[in-house]
Amino acid sequence: MSRAKSKPGGFQYAPGPGIMEKQPGRNTIDLATFRIRIQKRIFYSETTGFGVFRVSGLPAGKNRVIVGELLDVSEGDTLDVKGRFIHHSRFGEQFRVEEYRAVMPGDHAGITAYLSSRGIRGLGRKTAEKIVAQFGKETLEILQERPQDLLRVKGVGRSLVEQIRTSFKDRRILRELTVRLAPAGIGTATILRVVREYGEQSLLVLESDPYVLVDSVRGVGFRIADTIARAMGIPAQDPRRLNRGIDHVLEQAENQYGDLFMERHRLVVAAVRLLDVDEELVLDAVQNQIERGRLVEERDTEPLVLSLRNHWVEAESARMLKRMVDREISKAVSDLGPALKGIDPPLTSEQRDAVSAAVSHPVTVITGGPGTGKTTIIRAVIETFSMSHLRVKVAAPTGRAAKRIEEATGFPASTIHRLLKVSPETRRFTHDESNPLPVDAVVVDEFSMVDIHLFYALLRALDARTRLVVIGDKDQLPSVGPGNVLRDMIQSGYFPLVSLHRNFRQTGDSLIVENAYRINSGDSLVLKPYGPELDFVFVRVSTPAQAASKVLGILEHLAPRYMVNSAELQILAPMYRDEAGIDRLNAVIQERFNPEPVCLSREQMRFKRGDKVMQLKNDYDRDVFNGEQGVVTDFNDDEKKIIVDFDGRFTEYAVDETEDLTLAYAMSIHKSQGSEYDCVILVLLPQHAMMLNREIFYTAVTRARKRLFLVSHEAALQPALANSTPNRRRTRLPQRLRETFENRSPEASADEYGIMPV
């Protein structure tokens, strides 16, 4: 803590963690300033620093509550605060603190109260009084500069001195980082996460290489790290900045488009735009990383660049597939007849071909659209393996898809993540080459959703003699993650492929599957007037406001059969913004149909009991994965945590832990992949035209099992049917498969690449 400067009135000033610096982009003209005293802490998050406090010192007639990111603030502290009055929908008027300065006490009583309120074990009021009696007004300076002098105080031991030293050192680090970073717009939550990760080394880390935060601190990406780097004085041309910027461009291509490589010229142009430096600097940096083995360059029609990790994952996936194909399968399968006898209705010839291929080959690909009997084939494959006393596991990318398999087959199924099991200590899968799955066969449904990294992890967990059966719809959107594994495997021609064509659901009374096939071929849809038994209902709207209103009306209409938070009812839309976008629909549905009070709020997001929610990222500590849906069932008022039921698994979230949780009454079409719902309300508007194509439309429609309401207009349907853009992602798996299966390149070891398996 920096040395305080004496001020009249018995107080001293010291820069607090939120020193009064104007924040970028904030208008401080309308900010009011008050000196306040903290009376009671109502809520405080140790993770983000956000707190709610009852105070004295605000104008008469105003609610005596302040909120904001307030570090190292305790009851009894005096602060000079600058901010504005705001109105909270539930809690009324509050004073939002934008900037503040700690006013340090200058008298014996004030210093005693300050020390005893820091939450340091063993430093209560009596011990604080002894320390102040010994050092007087120099107490705070002693604590900061010479804490070992405290050993002169009777009853103060080395353990307490160390706790005091650490506590005040952490506070000093927080202040120093805030002084350096707050003017650059770096928020309190980020600073707290850095200090928790690096402690007293935080400033040293930021001064030496702030870009390491990208790998080590949650929520810090390249742009935040780059802002910190500039605040720390690292020049724009620094090689560390150039290298991280190039990595960031490649990662953006992977995360946004699913691409595993970039053409070299595209990479350079994007990096120059991001870094705002001369092209020669980027060209040299790319070449340097290639020469050092951090990036891989390959030649096609033009030079291609990919990360070492992606190169390794695709090359190893091809090698492991080749190893499986070349090995004899573990055990022979007995005659299909007895196993298939109990399947009702009897299998068609193409279904029998699919089952025969699955049990006879090391790796088999089965693909077909909705209603082609894929689930029946899974059941038949399971029965055949089981009757031959072979151990089989069934998995899918999402929990909903796994649950659907269980319901249809009566056989246990799990997500791929849970099949591979994640170690909470290492956050790695426990099943790999050294600990393969103890099975003879693995069946994976909804395989179009499996990205290259998850596929690689699955292959690592399979013994070379284990059969692998993958089943999916090649016409659906590709995986949310990078790669295009199902299409790459089909197009390679190296694996037995069974394509299913016969449709079992298609009848004269059903339009969902009929229109799905029409969408896939680009034909006009069959749109009939509304009828109570019609399973495909077209609701014509012209504007986003009309669409939102119709969605609410349909939910009212469906209320006798489906609660709005039902797992069997889902609203889908392609975009998040506008009046009929996902965010707005979630807000208006919550407001209309959920009368419960707000439990937790995060920025514009509010959570109530009964809300339907979705996890946005894999959380290995909670065992909850991207895309899983649940319902908020309760609120722990003492700990300020909501409790979410994820299909029988109850998980708690504090307000600062909800950044990966969102409302899910409405969700994106991409997020719905791998799931099916009894009833779907699909919103497609002319305003979505840039996002619309057959693949998105087809994927959305095939999410509905029993009924679909299409809230749309002909002006939106026409481009959606006309625009077919099969996702030809930039992958090298086809090339790796050709090289491996045709022995056109030597196998490379992990040591040669200089990396450990991902």
Side-chain angles (χ1 to χ4, degrees):
M1 187 172 288
S2 58
R3 184 171 181 175
K5 297 180 180 179
S6 295
K7 288 283 180 180
F11 284 91
Q12 298 174 325
Y13 274 95
I19 66 165
M20 286 196 174
E21 294 284 350
K22 182 177 182 294
Q23 299 300 312
R26 290 180 177 170
N27 181 4
T28 60
I29 295 176
D30 299 328
L31 299 184
T33 302
F34 303 101
R35 175 166 290 186
I36 57 93
R37 183 178 177 84
I38 304 293
Q39 294 182 320
K40 182 179 180 181
R41 183 172 71 176
I42 299 172
F43 170 77
Y44 187 74
S45 167
E46 295 290 347
T47 303
T48 66
F50 178 82
V52 182
F53 301 87
R54 187 170 298 283
V55 303
S56 62
L58 294 179
K62 297 291 187 182
N63 189 20
R64 297 180 298 114
V65 173
I66 67 169
V67 300
E69 286 74 33
L70 299 157
L71 301 178
D72 190 23
V73 172
S74 299
E75 294 175 6
D77 287 359
T78 299
L79 308 176
D80 281 344
V81 297
K82 184 180 287 188
R84 57 171 58 86
F85 287 98
I86 60 173
H87 184 82
H88 190 282
S89 60
R90 182 182 177 191
F91 300 110
E93 188 177 55
Q94 301 172 332
F95 186 78
R96 170 71 196 193
V97 177
E98 303 288 355
E99 306 164 16
Y100 73 100
R101 187 192 302 270
V103 181
M104 304 301 289
D107 55 55
H108 284 211
I111 296 173
T112 300
Y114 177 81
L115 290 183
S116 59
S117 67
R118 295 304 97 185
I120 300 173
R121 188 175 181 181
L123 185 56
R125 185 157 192 97
K126 288 186 178 180
T127 304
E129 287 174 348
K130 291 181 183 178
I131 293 173
V132 175
Q134 177 82 32
F135 298 108
K137 292 185 179 181
E138 293 184 351
T139 298
L140 295 177
E141 179 182 346
I142 294 293
L143 294 177
Q144 298 166 57
E145 306 296 339
R146 304 190 307 278
Q148 67 274 9
D149 288 1
L150 295 175
L151 292 172
R152 291 156 46 190
V153 179
K154 186 177 181 179
V156 175
R158 294 187 181 279
S159 175
L160 178 56
V161 170
E162 180 60 24
Q163 288 187 62
I164 293 172
R165 186 196 70 80
T166 302
S167 175
F168 275 78
K169 191 166 189 177
D170 287 347
R171 289 180 170 90
R172 176 179 58 79
I173 293 168
L174 279 172
R175 283 198 309 277
E176 289 179 357
L177 289 183
T178 305
V179 169
R180 299 282 293 271
L181 302 180
I186 302 300
T188 303
T190 299
I191 295 171
L192 272 170
R193 285 197 290 264
V194 171
V195 173
R196 285 198 178 90
E197 180 68 28
Y198 291 105
E200 61 185 52
Q201 299 296 316
S202 297
L203 195 57
L204 179 63
V205 169
L206 298 193
E207 288 175 339
S208 60
D209 186 4
Y211 296 102
V212 301
L213 302 182
V214 176
D215 300 321
S216 58
V217 178
R218 182 174 61 86
V220 176
F222 171 78
R223 293 184 185 278
I224 291 178
D226 196 41
T227 301
I228 293 174
R230 306 307 291 273
M232 303 304 290
I234 293 177
Q237 300 83 9
D238 189 284
R240 294 166 297 181
R241 179 172 187 262
L242 300 178
N243 291 339
R244 280 292 184 170
I246 292 163
D247 292 343
H248 176 70
V249 171
L250 287 169
E251 288 165 6
Q252 287 293 96
E254 182 177 323
N255 296 332
Q256 292 184 6
Y257 307 111
D259 293 341
L260 291 164
F261 69 82
M262 290 184 73
E263 293 81 4
R264 182 166 179 155
H265 78 277
R266 289 180 58 247
L267 170 62
V268 171
V269 168
V272 168
R273 188 184 305 118
L274 171 71
L275 298 168
D276 193 24
V277 296
D278 291 339
E279 183 177 301
E280 284 300 319
L281 288 172
V282 173
L283 284 168
D284 290 344
V286 170
Q287 186 59 37
N288 180 263
Q289 290 205 65
I290 292 170
E291 291 173 357
R292 291 172 54 205
R294 295 189 70 249
L295 296 178
V296 176
E297 183 178 57
E298 297 185 357
R299 295 283 172 175
D300 203 325
T301 55
E302 60 179 304
L304 313 175
V305 178
L306 62 163
S307 69
L308 186 59
R309 176 177 186 249
N310 286 343
H311 177 80
W312 168 263
V313 165
E314 289 192 312
E316 278 295 283
S317 295
R319 184 188 65 80
M320 288 186 284
L321 284 169
K322 178 66 161 58
R323 182 190 61 173
M324 292 173 69
V325 169
D326 286 348
R327 295 281 183 90
E328 291 184 8
I329 50 182
S330 57
K331 297 178 184 178
V333 173
S334 59
D335 181 38
L336 296 183
L340 303 185
K341 189 177 293 184
I343 304 295
D344 185 38
L347 271 60
T348 64
S349 59
E350 69 177 9
Q351 286 179 315
R352 291 182 69 91
D353 289 344
V355 175
S356 177
V359 301
S360 304
H361 296 282
V363 180
T364 305
V365 180
I366 301 170
T367 181
T372 53
K374 296 190 295 295
T375 304
T376 302
I377 290 170
I378 293 174
R379 182 184 165 200
V381 169
I382 293 169
E383 293 285 351
T384 305
F385 282 136
S386 298
M387 290 196 70
S388 298
H389 306 291
L390 296 177
R391 300 163 299 172
V392 60
K393 291 287 186 182
V394 181
T398 68
R400 281 191 61 83
K403 186 176 180 180
R404 178 172 51 81
I405 296 169
E406 284 190 349
E407 292 170 348
T409 66
F411 191 84
S414 71
T415 64
I416 299 173
H417 284 87
R418 292 195 176 94
L419 175 68
L420 302 181
K421 295 181 182 177
V422 178
S423 166
E425 290 80 20
T426 64
R427 297 192 179 187
R428 291 172 177 258
F429 292 121
T430 60
H431 287 294
D432 55 19
E433 299 97 327
S434 62
N435 180 33
L437 289 164
V439 294
D440 300 302
V442 172
V443 180
V444 182
D445 194 20
E446 294 289 353
F447 191 71
S448 65
M449 283 189 65
V450 177
D451 65 51
I452 186 64
H453 296 304
L454 187 57
F455 185 52
Y456 167 72
L458 175 63
L459 291 176
R460 290 183 66 203
L462 300 183
D463 181 89
R465 294 180 176 84
T466 300
R467 295 174 178 84
L468 175 63
V469 182
V470 300
I471 303 173
D473 185 346
K474 63 179 178 59
D475 295 314
Q476 281 190 27
L477 290 170
S479 57
V480 175
N484 207 351
V485 181
L486 178 59
R487 289 193 179 193
D488 286 348
M489 288 182 68
I490 291 172
Q491 293 171 4
S492 75
Y494 294 117
F495 311 100
L497 170 67
V498 179
S499 298
L500 306 173
H501 301 287
R502 179 176 173 182
N503 193 292
F504 293 88
R505 297 185 201 163
Q506 205 163 0
T507 70
D509 298 325
S510 176
L511 288 179
I512 291 177
V513 176
E514 168 72 17
N515 280 331
Y517 279 92
R518 285 174 173 268
I519 292 167
N520 212 11
S521 59
D523 296 333
S524 298
L525 303 186
V526 177
L527 303 176
K528 293 184 179 181
Y530 173 78
E533 301 304 320
L534 199 62
D535 70 345
F536 192 108
V537 180
F538 178 62
V539 182
R540 183 180 287 103
V541 294
S542 301
T543 67
Q546 286 182 354
S549 177
K550 289 292 186 184
V551 168
L552 296 177
I554 294 169
L555 290 174
E556 295 274 13
H557 170 72
L558 294 172
R561 293 195 62 184
Y562 300 104
M563 296 178 65
V564 290
N565 64 2
S566 169
E568 298 305 332
L569 170 67
Q570 188 60 57
I571 300 159
L572 301 179
M575 295 179 68
Y576 284 87
R577 297 181 180 176
D578 82 29
E579 203 166 349
I582 295 163
D583 292 337
R584 179 63 180 159
L585 286 174
N586 275 321
V588 297
I589 291 168
Q590 183 193 56
E591 183 178 357
R592 170 76 72 88
F593 294 98
N594 191 346
E596 291 283 333
V598 174
C599 297
L600 288 183
S601 296
R602 186 195 78 241
E603 298 175 351
Q604 302 302 313
M605 186 70 64
R606 298 171 183 175
F607 296 100
K608 303 179 180 182
R609 288 183 181 89
D611 275 339
K612 186 177 184 178
V613 295
M614 178 171 61
Q615 179 75 15
L616 297 175
K617 292 182 179 179
N618 292 337
D619 189 328
Y620 298 107
D621 294 330
R622 288 187 169 87
D623 193 34
V624 180
F625 299 102
N626 183 11
E628 289 200 57
Q629 292 183 333
V631 174
V632 178
T633 58
D634 208 348
F635 177 61
N636 185 329
D637 194 43
D638 292 334
E639 298 183 15
K640 305 299 181 187
K641 293 181 177 180
I642 57 173
I643 300 169
V644 181
D645 177 6
F646 289 101
D647 197 22
R649 289 173 293 106
F650 293 88
T651 304
E652 290 186 334
Y653 292 82
V655 64
D656 47 273
E657 298 170 329
T658 60
E659 59 187 21
D660 295 332
L661 199 69
T662 188
L663 293 176
Y665 300 108
M667 64 190 297
S668 72
I669 296 167
H670 281 83
K671 284 289 187 183
S672 73
Q673 287 176 259
S675 299
E676 287 187 352
Y677 310 89
D678 282 353
C679 185
V680 169
I681 303 171
L682 173 60
V683 181
L684 294 182
L685 299 176
Q687 288 82 352
H688 303 154
M690 290 183 62
M691 293 284 297
L692 299 183
N693 56 47
R694 289 184 205 167
E695 290 70 31
I696 287 178
F697 198 3
Y698 174 84
T699 299
V701 168
T702 54
R703 299 310 89 205
R705 278 195 296 254
K706 297 180 179 178
R707 203 167 202 197
L708 182 131
F709 291 86
L710 177 58
V711 182
S712 187
H713 190 276
E714 287 84 354
L717 301 184
Q718 189 172 0
L721 292 169
N723 182 19
S724 178
T725 54
N727 202 310
R728 297 182 180 89
R729 291 180 165 181
R730 292 176 170 84
T731 77
R732 298 293 282 170
L733 183 58
Q735 175 69 15
R736 299 286 89 86
L737 288 170
R738 282 195 298 273
E739 292 170 350
T740 305
F741 276 75
E742 298 173 18
N743 295 315
R744 288 202 279 124
S745 69
E747 289 189 1
S749 67
D751 291 337
E752 288 178 77
Y753 285 120
I755 60 175
M756 291 296 292
V758 180

